[in-house]
Structures are given as C-alpha cells and as structure tokens.
Amino acid sequence: MALNHWHHPKVTVMPHVARRPTVDQLVTGVAANIRSLKSGGRLLQEVDVTRGY
C-alpha cells in the first residue's frame, strides 16, 4: 500500500508564501486560472501529485 503524504490526520500541508498577496493580486491569479482553463490550458502552479508536490 502506497503512503499518501497528502492525507494524514496530524499533518496539514500548506503552501510556502514569502509575502502576503493583496486582494487585487489574488483576483488577478484566479482570473488567469479561469482564462487558462476556459482556453483548454492548465492551472498556474499546478500540483503534480505523481511527483509528490
């Protein structure tokens, strides 16, 4: 059985954030992801679970 690092009752996986984004920066990122998905693209900074991150 493979160990699933993403689901552990005592571990919360959080992204590394070097700074606090503004609301405008967050909205810009969400909008960019929506545009990418609508045009058949992928999410920005998508997690590759096969690689473990």
Side-chain angles (χ1 to χ4, degrees):
M1 181 173 137
L3 179 63
N4 187 335
H5 300 286
W6 297 103
H7 300 284
H8 188 284
K10 294 184 178 181
V11 175
T12 301
V13 178
M14 303 287 289
H16 168 73
V17 179
R19 63 173 171 75
R20 263 193 207 158
T22 65
V23 172
D24 288 339
Q25 291 168 327
L26 292 171
V27 170
T28 299
V30 170
N33 272 321
I34 291 170
R35 281 191 304 275
S36 180
L37 290 174
K38 283 187 170 185
S39 68
R42 299 174 66 158
L43 293 173
L44 304 172
Q45 300 174 353
E46 191 171 46
V47 171
D48 183 348
V49 293
T50 64
R51 295 180 75 181
Y53 57 90

